[in-house]
Each structure stands twice: as C-alpha cells, then as structure tokens.
Amino acid sequence: MTAPRAAPDLEPVIGLEVHVQLATRSKLFCACRNEYGAAPNAHVCPVCTGQPGVLPVLNEQALSLGLSAALALGCEVPASTKFDRKNYFYPDLPKGYQISQYDRPLGLGGAVELAGDGGATRRVGVARVHLEEDAGKTLHPPGENYSLVDLNRAGVPLLEIVSAPDLRSPEEAHRYLVALKRTLRYARVSECDMEKGSLRCDANVSLRARGSSALNARVEIKNLNSFRNVERALAHDIARQTTLLAAGEAVLQETRMWREEEECTAPLRSKEEEHDYRYFPEPDLPEFAIPPELVERLRAGLPEMPAARLERYIGRLGLPAETAAALAADWEVADYYERCLAAGGVPARAVASFVLGAVLQEANARHVSVSGVNIPPASLAEVARLVEAGALSHQAARKVLAEIAASGQSAAQAVASLGLEQVSDRAQLAVAVDAALAAAPVAVAQYRAGKQNALNALVGAVMKATRGKADPKLARQLLLERLGA
Amino acid sequence: MTSPAGAFRSAVSIRDDVVHGRRSAREVIEETLARIDRLEPRVDAFLAVDRAGALARAAEIDAEVTAGRAQGRLLGVPVAVKDNICVRGLPATCASRILAGYHPPFSAHAVERVLAEGGVVIGKTNCDEFGMGSSTENSAYKPTRNPHDLERVPGGSSGGSAAAVAAGMVPLSLGSDTGGSIRQPASLCGVIGFKPTFGAVSRFGLVAFASSLDQIGPLGASLLDVATLASVIAGPDARDSTALPRPAPDFVAALSPSLEGVRIGVHRDYVEDVADAAVRALIGRALETLREAGARIVHLDGVDLLSRYAVPAYYLVANSEASSNLARFDGLRYGPGAGAPDLLSTYTATRGRLFGEEVKRRILLGTFALSSGYHDAYYLKALRVRRLFIEAFQEAFRNVDFIAGATSPIPAFALGEKIDDPVTMYQCDVLTIPASLAGLPAVSVPCGRTPQGLPVGLQIIGPALADARVLSCAFAFEQRSGLMGTLAPLAEEVA
Ligand SMILES: [Zn+2]
C-alpha cells in the first residue's frame, strides 16, 4: 500500500497509548486467575463482578511487574503513589468505575530508543506509565437481540503506556510499537500478544505546519488490532486531515474508529460526547509508599535489554549485525541462543545459524515460541559440534534436530537412529563418486566444456547416493581429482 | 455494678448462662424470637428474621456445650445485623428495592468474627436506604418506630439496630456509621452506640455508602456488652486495605470506672449552643456526673471546632463517594433490574425506578460535585475542609483526653416531621459528622430522658486510636449515671 503522505508544509504529530496486560498469576485486585481463553465467566468472584460490600486488595506481583516495566522504559518511579476511580457506565465494567491512576502514575518520563538509519538512534519519550484494571468483554451474538458479558478479563492488570507526541510518521509509530513490545517482553512483564488482546493500542494524531508548535485539532483512533493497522490507520487519517486542511476546512477534535474492511477511519464520538470520568482518589486503597529497596531489587533483576545485547553480540561475539539483530529481537530467542552457547565448545556464528534456522522453523511449524521447541540447548550445541568436527553435514544436522524435537532423543541417539554419521572415509566415498561419474556422462562432458555448475550436480548426486551422509567437501575434492582438475 | 433492670438481659450474662449450661442456646433464641414476635409488629425494626437459621445455630451451640467444647465471647448471644452488612445466606437489601432478593455469597468480616465467637445472627435490621438518612424513614420497605414513643422516629440510619436493642429484642446489634448513623439513633433510642476509629473494624462486607467515612460498630444496652462486641469485631483484615494493620486491644480489659486525672473538653458547639433546651439540660447534668467521677472539665471555647462547616463538607465528600459506590447497581448482575429495549433505558429504568428519592438526590449531588469544572470548587475544597477538621481536633486533643457533649441537638422527632425537608434532616447530624470527617472514635451513651420521656445521649469523642479509652470513659459515666440497661417502657410490658 502506498501511504498517502502529508503535504510538504504539514507534519503529523503522533502519540500512542498502549495497554498491555501484565503476566500475573492473578487479577489486579482479587485472587481470580489471570488466564486467557478460559470458558466465559470461569474466572470471576465477588470482587471482580462488583458485588456490593467487597473491597479491592492490590496484587503485589502486578505492582512489581508495573514497576519493572517503568524501570525498563527508563521512567522515574515516585516514592509513593495512589489509585483513582474513573467513573463511567458500561455492562462490562461491573463496578461502574475503573480503578486506575490519574495524577500519580507509577512512572514518568521514560523513553524508547528506535534504531535509525546508519546506527543512529532516535529517542521517543514515554510520558507516563500507570496501572489500572481491565474491563470485561461484551459479546453481541449476531442476529440476536441480546448481548453477553464475559468478566474473565475484568480486573486483569493493565499497564497503560503513554508516549510523548514525539512520533512523526506512521512508519515511525510502527517502529516504536515494535521496540516497545520488545522491551516489555524482555522485562518479562507481558506476553504483548495483540491477537490475545494482551497488547492494545490507541493512536492520537494531529497536523501542524512544519516548524510551528501550533497544533490543529487532535484525532484519537481506536480499534487498532495490529501494528500494521496502526500504521495504515494513521496514514489514512493523516491523508484525510491533510485534505480537509488543504480545502480550508477544520479538523474536528473527535474519536474515530479504524474500519479494517473499508480501510478507513470513521467517527465514533465527538468532543462533546466525550465522557466526564469524574476522577477522584480511590477511597478503598490508601496512598502507599513504593519502598526504595523494592525498586532497587527490581532494577537489579531486569535482564539485559535488547540494545545492550545487540551491542554485545556484534562487539563481543563478532556476529554480523543482521544476525545479531535477529537474535536480539526476542528475549526468548536470545536467551535460548545464549544457553546453547553456554553449553560450550561451538563458535557463536555456527550456533546462531542453527537457532535462526532449524529452531525457528520448528517453532513456526508448530506455532509455539522458542521455549516451546523440544530441543534442549545442550543437544543443539552437540549437533553444532558434530557439524564443526565434520562428522555431520548441515543437511543431516537439520534432520537430526527435527528428530530430537520429535522424539526427545539425545543428539547422539538421533544421529545413530537416523544412521547419519557422516561418511568422511575416502575409500568409502570413492565408490559413490565413481558411480556418480559413470551415471552422468552428460554432466561430466559439460564440466569438461567449462561449465562449473555441472560440478554441483555431481556433488548432489554423491550426496543423494549416500543419503546425505557424505562429507560434501571431501566428495567435491574426490570428484575434482577424478575429473583431473 | 447496678443490677440489670426488668426486661434487660445483658449479652455477657446470656453468654455466661449458656457457657455454664444454666440455659441452652435454644432457650435463649426461642425467647428472643418470642419477644420479636410480640414487639416487631409495633416497632418494625427488622427487614428479615432468620428463625430457622438461628435455631439451627443454637442447636449446634448446645451440642458443643454438651460436648464440653463450647467457647466464645458471644456464645449463644443473639445479634441483629443492619441490612447493609452482608451475612451469607440472608438477604442484604440495604433497605433498597434495587437489591430486593439479593443474597450475598459471603459474610462481612465483622459478621464472621461474631459467628466465630459463638454469636447467633437473628436477623437483618431496617435502615435508611444505603444508610442515607437520619430517621430510617428512607427505608424503601417501612419506617421503624422509636420504642420510647411509637409515633416518633428511631433516628438513622441504623434505626432498626437501635430500636431492636431499645425494645429488648436483642442485647446487641451491628450498625454502620458514616456521619452519625450509629450514634444518633443510639441517642434517640436510649441505647449505647459506638463508632470506632476509621479502620478499626474491617469494612469488608459492608455495602459502601461513603468508603472514607463508613465504619461498622456495635449498639447495645450496656457498655460491657458494647465493649465485648467491639473487641470481637475490631482488628486487622487483609481484605480491607484501609483496616488498621495492628490487632485491637482488649476493650473489655481496659474498662475502668474511674475518671481520676481525666481531662474532658467541653465546647459550646456541643453544649450551650445545642438547639433543644431539654437536651442542653441533660448534657449539663451529664458533664456534672463526669466531674463527680473524677474528671476535670476543660472549656475549649478558644478552639474553633468548625462545626458550622460539618454538614456542607460532609455532604460533598460522602455524596461524591456515594455517586461512585452506587454506580454498580445497574440491574445487570444482581437485584431485580428493569428490562428495557436498550442499554441506556435499562440503566435509567433500573436506577430511576428502584432507587429512592433521597438516594437519587445524593447521587446527583455527588455526580455534580465531581464533574469537570466543579470538581475543584466542591470536592477538592471539601477535602481541604476535612483536613481542617482533623487539625482542629488534633489541636483540641493537645489539652484534653476527650470531648464530651450532645450526640444529637434534638431528641426523637415525629414520624413524617422532617422527611420532606432534607436540609433540616441533615442538621440532625451536625454534632456527629465532625468525628466522622476526622475518623475519630466516638460513643453515644444514654444520659437521661426529657420531660416527655425521650432519651438523650451523651457523646464522647476521643483522639484517633483511643477506642479503648473512649469506651472506658463511657463505662465510667454509665456506672455513675445508673442508667445501664434501661430499656424503653414498651420492653418492660412484654418482659
Ligand atoms: Zn475475581
């Protein structure tokens, strides 16, 4: 899709509000399980269904994860904080108010670093990070005159992360989301899985004359269910606003909704229809101190962040930038890679190619994350060592890894059961080489006529004859000897 | 200790009889139910009486006594519970139609504690809808009558809990106090009502009216009984983040009949400026009694206790919180609800038809006070005034141990007299609201009757966390006054 661009004298000013569900065992204010995909209303109790007489009790794990996220994003964490009530009526909001944080968020003034062209980075501000509870889900069965409410999600801890209005293009907004998600996943605070709703995003966009600080009206866009749709909706609305302004018309301050099928944004409610949330301090939860020891413990417990890892992979392990970036893109992949390295004795680059190749393929094929792939890092290291030692071809190594994943065997067992020990014995290979030459007179003739590619076909024939067990380097060498090169 | 008069049987004596096998719990409960049968048609203190449940529980207790395992500070004692406090298996309507038929799936912390000490919940008492009122006339179901004069109100909002004790139906009841809802009806019904320090008793299971003010507390006819129930229900509870974290002291052990060396502050707002002359006279005499018991009376007229700001500050804070607390009553998950074709009309029909007028008035006022553009001028300003109340009391308590004066500026008024004049009704709480705003412990203890025979209560307010001392001061007064266990004459008729 070609993104319509703002007229050259106008520039977009974009801010994103991201909600992520924190990966806690239980909900924010009750003991119900925080689990996606359970039967409707399987995880509810008097607290999260808003029965009269119950009170919220803060989940300390949620507080810790929220603080970890704030720290990972480089936010200032206050010495104390409080909760507030945001009042509005909706069937999936059992109490008629959401417990949120209004003026004393968990974190202020952080940033997300975006990798730019040529190694430059761009800093996008994180204005604030705050804790709040999720609402339930209202379902409208098609063709029925009723709606259903599922409160499994009601009370699940959410972290709202509000960017500064620092983003200047839909593409940059996309890159911010990728980087934010990576950081939050590294900090182990959330799965950040948009399909499961554990990451959600609203976008704000307004236009201003380049070089000016005077903004036109701001439009909020909701219903953005993928990073790609964030980018597309922003591009669409920037074009819409540009057209309006070019025609001398005003942009209305309003909330719009992205309609994926029609690929356009449509009005949801105007400024006048905005809720008055009547925020006030939550009287059921007293203001509380955030102990400095807790903050320090969480800070110390944060894993190495993506940028630091990338630098280490390139600088210390000598990986090519592209390989390093691919490994560092996801903490699970990076951690798996490092566990393989820790098993010892194999070059970093060789292990990287197996992790990014066979292991990721296995994960994708089975729709699981890397941690769900049944190849112990020690086994992968062992296979890599066999390849390095010339005892196993690359091709055979892939088969061995697939066998390990499928059967749970050790590397040695899998090699043996597949009968894949590499044939590196000259005498043994010579037989296969002679047979290949005899069976392919045309290829021999072509090679002799100067066609170098014909040699590859001959190597392939040898590999085929040995069912992949031949050491391809040795096979090539023997072929060349026979051809008198 | 004065011997109990006529119909009065203290909770402590009932418990002793049951523990020692002198009476069975069954006898106690049957007698209680019989008294309720005779008196309830005239008083209307209850919204539900759990006859079967109470008898079943009495049988359990008797089995324990027989087995020699019986224990508990309230063993066999019937306790009535205000209808905004949850008891598993019993209705909790808060005297509102919007919760008709609602049975909470859990019990309040205070109720769990009563049951753990062998208490028997006999039923749920009437109140103003969601605790909003000072006469119990705002109940959606029926008004409760004052046992001392059946044409008069019992006060409110815990009117049913106060009337049930005053009529001798139960020795103890639980009420809730937001701006005086335990103390004022106790005063008007001639019983003792105690509002603990905010946080001393868990609010878990108390249907919220104004969360930062609501407190559960005991009502009874003797200070020893009230201190016993207060000791049972006070203490930490992990389910209420505003509950005080440390265990409560034993209020009973702390009771002392002596007031030697105690300084009691007296302020004109609570004495000389009280509207009703008969109340003024009785409070004057009560202060004299305190002095005779050894207390030193200290005049606080140099301190501004800000009483004139109490009602407006209270109604802004309480109603703002109420507007949010009562938002959950939308008829979608519990309560009758009103089926309507679309969401908005479901909300308006349910809330419009099933909330009473006073509740709707307060929700509107609170919603307005929190609205953008008005929030600072009303809600935030009221919070600042609240802070001033806390400071004014702290200032006063630098020189005195307690402040004593009237609980209510007037004795019980006639049914219907104030119900159409909310502002006059709100003034009933002018002397109880300040301790609520400041979160302080305060007790109302009977100090005599007006020439018309209407009871008047002496209020004793202490500094935060001085619950044990407040109860002890009231105990010393009770011992001197000789008014312990004086029930309404009506209670004697059926003794
Ligand atoms: Zn729950």
Side-chain angles (χ1 to χ4, degrees), chain A residues 64-193:
Chain A
S64 292
L65 292 184
L67 287 169
S68 290
L71 294 170
L73 293 168
C75 291
E76 287 281 335
V77 168
S80 67
T81 187
K82 69 171 173 79
F83 286 93
D84 299 276
R85 289 189 187 174
K86 178 178 179 179
N87 296 282
Y88 67 95
F89 285 95
Y90 204 67
D92 60 24
L93 189 71
K95 298 187 296 297
Y97 57 82
Q98 178 192 32
I99 304 178
S100 180
Q101 294 192 288
Y102 180 56
D103 55 351
R104 308 263 303 275
L106 219 49
L108 283 168
V112 171
E113 303 280 347
L114 305 189
D117 299 327
T121 59
R122 171 148 154 59
R123 192 173 185 279
V124 177
V126 169
R128 59 179 280 164
V129 165
H130 74 249
L131 262 182
E132 61 186 26
E133 56 179 340
D134 208 342
K137 266 186 202 157
T138 309
L139 310 160
H140 308 285
E144 302 294 346
N145 65 346
Y146 57 81
S147 299
L148 296 169
V149 178
D150 176 4
L151 296 178
N152 282 346
R153 205 178 68 178
V156 162
L158 283 183
L159 197 68
E160 179 172 325
I161 300 149
V162 183
S163 83
D166 287 350
L167 300 162
R168 293 290 172 269
S169 72
E171 181 274 331
E172 199 169 62
H174 188 284
R175 284 198 292 139
Y176 166 82
L177 288 171
V178 169
L180 177 66
K181 173 176 170 172
R182 182 175 302 158
T183 302
L184 296 174
R185 281 183 47 84
Y186 259 78
R188 316 286 202 275
V189 299
S190 172
E191 293 291 318
C192 294
D193 186 338

Side-chain angles (χ1 to χ4, degrees), chain B residues 321-402:
Chain B
E321 292 180 15
S323 71
S324 174
N325 282 329
L326 272 60
R328 69 187 61 196
F329 303 111
D330 54 13
L332 296 179
R333 291 169 306 287
Y334 44 78
D342 61 73
L343 185 59
L344 183 61
S345 45
T346 300
Y347 285 141
T348 54
T350 301
R351 295 169 64 82
R353 278 185 225 150
L354 300 174
F355 276 140
E357 288 309 306
E358 181 62 26
V359 171
K360 284 190 271 189
R361 177 164 29 240
R362 296 195 190 198
I363 289 173
L364 287 174
L365 203 149
T367 303
F368 181 76
L370 288 175
S371 297
S372 99
Y374 299 96
H375 184 268
D376 293 9
Y378 293 112
Y379 181 72
L380 288 186
K381 188 182 255 180
L383 287 189
R384 285 197 295 273
V385 173
R386 184 174 187 179
R387 185 75 229 160
L388 295 179
F389 270 94
I390 293 168
E391 288 165 7
F393 275 112
Q394 280 170 348
E395 168 78 22
F397 285 124
R398 267 200 270 280
N399 301 311
V400 300
D401 300 300
F402 307 105

Side-chain angles (χ1 to χ4, degrees), chain A residues 309-328 337 347-353 356:
Chain A
R309 272 202 206 202
L310 188 63
E311 214 178 288
R312 186 160 57 84
Y313 288 173
I314 297 171
R316 294 250 297 275
L317 300 181
L319 297 184
E322 209 168 302
T323 306
L327 287 170
Y337 172 63
R349 214 185 265 239
V351 174
S353 82
L356 294 175

Side-chain angles (χ1 to χ4, degrees), chain A residues 251-299:
Chain A
V251 174
L252 295 178
Q253 184 180 330
E254 62 183 354
T255 302
R256 297 178 72 85
M257 179 170 169
W258 172 246
R259 292 180 190 266
E260 194 176 1
E261 300 75 31
E262 292 119 274
E263 290 206 20
C264 70
T265 64
L268 193 65
R269 54 177 179 258
S270 71
K271 186 186 175 191
E272 289 70 34
E273 293 164 307
E274 292 290 334
H275 295 291
D276 178 356
Y277 291 120
R278 292 174 282 121
Y279 281 100
F280 74 102
E282 166 56 281
D284 289 331
L285 295 167
E287 177 177 332
F288 60 98
I290 300 174
E293 312 85 70
L294 173 66
V295 175
E296 282 326 302
R297 186 164 59 74
L298 293 172
R299 200 191 297 276

Side-chain angles (χ1 to χ4, degrees), chain B residues 4 7-16 77 171 221-222 224-225 484:
Chain B
F8 176 64
R9 274 186 202 276
S10 75
V12 170
S13 68
I14 291 171
R15 184 259 178 200
D16 282 349
V77 175
S222 95
L224 185 56
D225 283 359
M484 188 190 84

Side-chain angles (χ1 to χ4, degrees), chain A residues 27 30 32 44-45 48:
Chain A
K27 293 186 181 181
C30 65
C32 289
V44 299
C45 74
C48 57

